[in-house]
Amino acid sequence: MSAALQRRLARLEDVLLPKPRQPVCMLREPASAAPAEEWAEYRRQVDEAKARGDFLILLVPMKPTERPRTENGVTYCGTELDALALKASMLPSKLGNKSALDDVMKSLPGNVFRPVARNEG
């Protein structure tokens, strides 16, 4: 097989073969008054997820005005909805879209409206 054909075949395989997805681990931080054993178990789970190389989402208490943030490879979310949406965005699509979240968004009925500039006269 010629070198050019091998290069083209390699490019096709790179495009067509599914990419390995990073595992997603979502954990909820215990209450501040939780027993020490519960905190120790939580820290152990976080350490194990980091050691495995998982995409780590931590559900932590946040102010309602704060948005999810990522620090040191860990994403912190304040609401379960934010965490689930982030997790769905990391999962593969079953319908050929970019992600499972994209599947959900495209399956929603109705029209999407966007702001339109209004001429003040």
Side-chain angles (χ1 to χ4, degrees):
M1 188 179 311
S2 73
L5 188 56
Q6 285 179 337
R7 283 193 309 273
R8 288 180 183 161
L9 184 59
R11 273 191 255 146
L12 281 173
E13 286 177 346
D14 185 49
V15 169
L16 297 175
L17 290 177
K19 306 289 184 268
R21 295 233 181 215
Q22 186 178 13
V24 178
C25 180
M26 189 169 65
L27 298 170
R28 180 184 301 273
E29 185 177 276
S32 58
E37 298 83 28
E38 196 173 324
W39 275 98
E41 175 64 17
Y42 169 75
R43 286 188 199 99
R44 184 189 61 77
Q45 290 175 338
V46 169
D47 291 342
E48 285 179 358
K50 285 181 178 179
R52 285 191 307 263
D54 292 358
F55 184 86
L56 189 57
I57 303 170
L58 298 180
L59 190 55
V60 298
M62 294 173 84
K63 294 177 185 170
T65 55
E66 289 182 295
R67 299 183 45 81
R69 68 182 189 281
T70 301
E71 296 172 1
N72 301 324
V74 178
T75 301
Y76 299 89
C77 294
T79 66
E80 193 169 353
L81 179 61
D82 287 341
L84 290 172
L86 179 61
K87 183 177 181 180
S89 73
M90 300 294 294
L91 297 174
S93 167
K94 294 182 178 167
L95 303 175
N97 295 314
K98 292 190 302 186
S99 67
L101 180 61
D102 203 34
D103 289 350
V104 171
M105 296 305 289
K106 289 186 179 188
S107 72
L108 296 174
N111 295 324
V112 177
F113 295 97
R114 59 187 162 96
V116 177
R118 192 173 125 201
N119 292 333
E120 303 268 338

